[in-house]
Tab-separated table of all heavy atoms in Angstrom:
chain	number	residue	atom	x	y	z
S	1	ILE	N	2.848	4.732	12.092
S	1	ILE	CA	4.011	3.967	11.634
S	1	ILE	C	3.601	2.940	10.581
S	1	ILE	O	4.299	2.737	9.578
S	1	ILE	CB	4.695	3.284	12.834
S	1	ILE	CG1	5.123	4.325	13.880
S	1	ILE	CG2	5.925	2.510	12.380
S	1	ILE	CD1	5.603	3.723	15.189
S	2	ALA	N	2.453	2.295	10.774
S	2	ALA	CA	2.002	1.283	9.820
S	2	ALA	C	1.685	1.883	8.460
S	2	ALA	O	1.926	1.265	7.413
S	2	ALA	CB	0.785	0.544	10.378
S	3	CYS	N	1.132	3.096	8.451
S	3	CYS	CA	0.871	3.773	7.172
S	3	CYS	C	2.165	4.024	6.413
S	3	CYS	O	2.208	3.901	5.179
S	3	CYS	CB	0.122	5.086	7.408
S	3	CYS	SG	-1.629	4.900	7.784
S	4	TRP	N	3.234	4.371	7.142
S	4	TRP	CA	4.522	4.550	6.462
S	4	TRP	C	4.997	3.242	5.853
S	4	TRP	O	5.530	3.215	4.735
S	4	TRP	CB	5.568	5.104	7.431
S	4	TRP	CG	5.500	6.586	7.572
S	4	TRP	CD1	5.244	7.312	8.696
S	4	TRP	CD2	5.662	7.551	6.524
S	4	TRP	NE1	5.236	8.651	8.411
S	4	TRP	CE2	5.499	8.827	7.099
S	4	TRP	CE3	5.928	7.454	5.161
S	4	TRP	CZ2	5.586	10.004	6.344
S	4	TRP	CZ3	6.017	8.623	4.407
S	4	TRP	CH2	5.855	9.879	5.011
S	5	ALA	N	4.796	2.143	6.573
S	5	ALA	CA	5.208	0.846	6.019
S	5	ALA	C	4.469	0.559	4.720
S	5	ALA	O	5.070	0.106	3.735
S	5	ALA	CB	4.942	-0.262	7.048
S	6	LEU	N	3.162	0.810	4.689
S	6	LEU	CA	2.392	0.592	3.458
S	6	LEU	C	2.866	1.516	2.342
S	6	LEU	O	2.900	1.130	1.165
S	6	LEU	CB	0.910	0.802	3.729
S	6	LEU	CG	0.227	-0.321	4.525
S	6	LEU	CD1	-1.172	0.099	4.955
S	6	LEU	CD2	0.162	-1.605	3.688
S	7	ALA	N	3.229	2.753	2.708
S	7	ALA	CA	3.749	3.686	1.705
S	7	ALA	C	5.036	3.143	1.087
S	7	ALA	O	5.228	3.205	-0.133
S	7	ALA	CB	3.999	5.057	2.334
S	8	TYR	N	5.926	2.578	1.912
S	8	TYR	CA	7.172	2.011	1.388
S	8	TYR	C	6.893	0.805	0.497
S	8	TYR	O	7.514	0.640	-0.557
S	8	TYR	CB	8.094	1.589	2.539
S	8	TYR	CG	8.507	2.715	3.445
S	8	TYR	CD1	8.546	2.553	4.831
S	8	TYR	CD2	8.862	3.961	2.934
S	8	TYR	CE1	8.926	3.585	5.672
S	8	TYR	CE2	9.243	5.004	3.771
S	8	TYR	CZ	9.276	4.807	5.140
S	8	TYR	OH	9.639	5.824	5.972
S	9	LEU	N	5.945	-0.029	0.905
S	9	LEU	CA	5.652	-1.237	0.127
S	9	LEU	C	5.010	-0.911	-1.214
S	9	LEU	O	5.181	-1.657	-2.186
S	9	LEU	CB	4.737	-2.163	0.935
S	9	LEU	CG	5.397	-2.842	2.145
S	9	LEU	CD1	4.360	-3.597	2.958
S	9	LEU	CD2	6.514	-3.779	1.702
S	10	ALA	N	4.265	0.189	-1.283
S	10	ALA	CA	3.595	0.574	-2.530
S	10	ALA	C	4.461	1.467	-3.402
S	10	ALA	O	4.011	1.941	-4.446
S	10	ALA	CB	2.281	1.290	-2.216
S	11	ASP	N	5.693	1.700	-2.991
S	11	ASP	CA	6.591	2.593	-3.729
S	11	ASP	C	7.389	1.774	-4.737
S	11	ASP	O	8.387	1.148	-4.393
S	11	ASP	CB	7.529	3.300	-2.758
S	11	ASP	CG	8.464	4.258	-3.461
S	11	ASP	OD1	8.257	4.534	-4.660
S	11	ASP	OD2	9.415	4.746	-2.813
S	12	GLY	N	6.906	1.747	-5.979
S	12	GLY	CA	7.640	0.986	-6.979
S	12	GLY	C	6.753	0.507	-8.103
S	12	GLY	O	5.742	1.140	-8.425
S	13	PRO	N	7.088	-0.620	-8.693
S	13	PRO	CA	6.351	-1.119	-9.870
S	13	PRO	C	4.896	-1.415	-9.541
S	13	PRO	O	4.502	-1.582	-8.381
S	13	PRO	CB	7.112	-2.401	-10.236
S	13	PRO	CG	8.442	-2.287	-9.584
S	13	PRO	CD	8.235	-1.473	-8.348
S	14	ASN	N	4.104	-1.545	-10.602
S	14	ASN	CA	2.667	-1.742	-10.437
S	14	ASN	C	2.312	-3.056	-9.749
S	14	ASN	O	1.253	-3.168	-9.135
S	14	ASN	CB	1.970	-1.666	-11.796
S	14	ASN	CG	1.988	-0.264	-12.366
S	14	ASN	OD1	2.351	0.691	-11.683
S	14	ASN	ND2	1.605	-0.115	-13.622
S	15	ASN	N	3.178	-4.059	-9.848
S	15	ASN	CA	2.859	-5.319	-9.174
S	15	ASN	C	2.875	-5.161	-7.660
S	15	ASN	O	2.094	-5.792	-6.938
S	15	ASN	CB	3.829	-6.422	-9.617
S	15	ASN	CG	5.254	-6.162	-9.147
S	15	ASN	OD1	5.835	-5.123	-9.442
S	15	ASN	ND2	5.835	-7.099	-8.431
S	16	LYS	N	3.765	-4.299	-7.155
S	16	LYS	CA	3.781	-4.027	-5.713
S	16	LYS	C	2.525	-3.267	-5.310
S	16	LYS	O	1.905	-3.558	-4.271
S	16	LYS	CB	5.032	-3.226	-5.353
S	16	LYS	CG	6.330	-3.971	-5.572
S	16	LYS	CD	7.556	-3.090	-5.307
S	16	LYS	CE	7.679	-2.691	-3.869
S	16	LYS	NZ	8.929	-1.951	-3.601
S	17	ILE	N	2.163	-2.294	-6.124
S	17	ILE	CA	0.945	-1.525	-5.850
S	17	ILE	C	-0.263	-2.449	-5.853
S	17	ILE	O	-1.140	-2.349	-4.978
S	17	ILE	CB	0.791	-0.400	-6.892
S	17	ILE	CG1	1.918	0.633	-6.737
S	17	ILE	CG2	-0.581	0.278	-6.775
S	17	ILE	CD1	1.971	1.662	-7.835
S	18	GLN	N	-0.302	-3.375	-6.808
S	18	GLN	CA	-1.442	-4.281	-6.906
S	18	GLN	C	-1.547	-5.176	-5.676
S	18	GLN	O	-2.651	-5.467	-5.203
S	18	GLN	CB	-1.324	-5.134	-8.174
S	18	GLN	CG	-2.571	-5.933	-8.495
S	18	GLN	CD	-3.793	-5.048	-8.734
S	18	GLN	OE1	-3.683	-3.941	-9.240
S	18	GLN	NE2	-4.955	-5.543	-8.335
S	19	ALA	N	-0.407	-5.617	-5.162
S	19	ALA	CA	-0.425	-6.463	-3.965
S	19	ALA	C	-1.012	-5.705	-2.772
S	19	ALA	O	-1.758	-6.273	-1.967
S	19	ALA	CB	0.986	-6.939	-3.640
S	20	VAL	N	-0.689	-4.427	-2.662
S	20	VAL	CA	-1.251	-3.609	-1.580
S	20	VAL	C	-2.747	-3.417	-1.792
S	20	VAL	O	-3.543	-3.505	-0.847
S	20	VAL	CB	-0.513	-2.256	-1.502
S	20	VAL	CG1	-1.190	-1.330	-0.492
S	20	VAL	CG2	0.951	-2.461	-1.125
S	21	ILE	N	-3.148	-3.178	-3.038
S	21	ILE	CA	-4.579	-3.014	-3.338
S	21	ILE	C	-5.350	-4.291	-3.003
S	21	ILE	O	-6.423	-4.243	-2.386
S	21	ILE	CB	-4.773	-2.637	-4.818
S	21	ILE	CG1	-4.308	-1.193	-5.065
S	21	ILE	CG2	-6.233	-2.801	-5.238
S	21	ILE	CD1	-4.348	-0.762	-6.517
S	22	GLU	N	-4.796	-5.437	-3.389
S	22	GLU	CA	-5.487	-6.707	-3.173
S	22	GLU	C	-5.616	-7.057	-1.694
S	22	GLU	O	-6.450	-7.897	-1.319
S	22	GLU	CB	-4.769	-7.821	-3.928
S	22	GLU	CG	-4.942	-7.706	-5.437
S	22	GLU	CD	-4.097	-8.692	-6.220
S	22	GLU	OE1	-3.332	-9.446	-5.575
S	22	GLU	OE2	-4.193	-8.710	-7.463
S	23	ALA	N	-4.830	-6.421	-0.853
S	23	ALA	CA	-4.957	-6.636	0.590
S	23	ALA	C	-6.122	-5.847	1.178
S	23	ALA	O	-6.366	-5.907	2.385
S	23	ALA	CB	-3.660	-6.242	1.294
S	24	THR	N	-6.825	-5.107	0.325
S	24	THR	CA	-8.013	-4.310	0.697
S	24	THR	C	-7.720	-3.321	1.827
S	24	THR	O	-8.533	-3.131	2.739
S	24	THR	CB	-9.209	-5.219	1.079
S	24	THR	OG1	-8.895	-5.977	2.260
S	24	THR	CG2	-9.566	-6.151	-0.059
S	25	VAL	N	-6.566	-2.674	1.737
S	25	VAL	CA	-6.236	-1.644	2.730
S	25	VAL	C	-6.671	-0.255	2.269
S	25	VAL	O	-6.701	0.681	3.080
S	25	VAL	CB	-4.721	-1.631	3.040
S	25	VAL	CG1	-4.278	-2.961	3.606
S	25	VAL	CG2	-3.904	-1.262	1.801
S	26	ILE	N	-6.995	-0.099	0.978
S	26	ILE	CA	-7.267	1.238	0.452
S	26	ILE	C	-8.473	1.890	1.118
S	26	ILE	O	-8.396	3.077	1.492
S	26	ILE	CB	-7.449	1.209	-1.087
S	26	ILE	CG1	-6.292	0.463	-1.749
S	26	ILE	CG2	-7.553	2.632	-1.633
S	26	ILE	CD1	-4.930	1.007	-1.456
S	27	PRO	N	-9.603	1.199	1.295
S	27	PRO	CA	-10.729	1.864	1.959
S	27	PRO	C	-10.360	2.428	3.334
S	27	PRO	O	-10.779	3.533	3.694
S	27	PRO	CB	-11.781	0.756	2.070
S	27	PRO	CG	-11.478	-0.157	0.918
S	27	PRO	CD	-9.986	-0.151	0.819
S	28	ARG	N	-9.552	1.682	4.098
S	28	ARG	CA	-9.144	2.185	5.415
S	28	ARG	C	-8.199	3.369	5.282
S	28	ARG	O	-8.300	4.342	6.037
S	28	ARG	CB	-8.479	1.059	6.206
S	28	ARG	CG	-7.919	1.489	7.573
S	28	ARG	CD	-8.965	2.094	8.480
S	28	ARG	NE	-8.402	2.343	9.817
S	28	ARG	CZ	-9.009	3.067	10.741
S	28	ARG	NH1	-10.193	3.615	10.494
S	28	ARG	NH2	-8.438	3.238	11.924
S	29	LEU	N	-7.265	3.324	4.329
S	29	LEU	CA	-6.366	4.465	4.129
S	29	LEU	C	-7.157	5.722	3.767
S	29	LEU	O	-6.858	6.821	4.262
S	29	LEU	CB	-5.347	4.155	3.027
S	29	LEU	CG	-4.239	3.164	3.380
S	29	LEU	CD1	-3.418	2.821	2.140
S	29	LEU	CD2	-3.331	3.725	4.478
S	30	VAL	N	-8.158	5.570	2.916
S	30	VAL	CA	-9.004	6.718	2.557
S	30	VAL	C	-9.762	7.210	3.787
S	30	VAL	O	-9.853	8.416	4.037
S	30	VAL	CB	-9.971	6.329	1.419
S	30	VAL	CG1	-11.002	7.433	1.194
S	30	VAL	CG2	-9.200	6.044	0.134
């Protein structure tokens, strides 16, 4: 469920994507 939430938050302009990246969640998602 949490992965879906991150998917929704990263769906849109690059500033939203950057905020998700800066939270350092990408290594765990990978």
Side-chain angles (χ1 to χ4, degrees):
I1 302 171
C3 284
W4 277 119
L6 286 170
Y8 299 138
L9 289 173
D11 181 11
N14 291 350
N15 67 303
K16 295 175 66 175
I17 294 172
Q18 190 61 33
V20 173
I21 288 175
E22 289 173 358
T24 64
V25 299
I26 310 303
R28 176 58 174 168
L29 287 173
V30 171

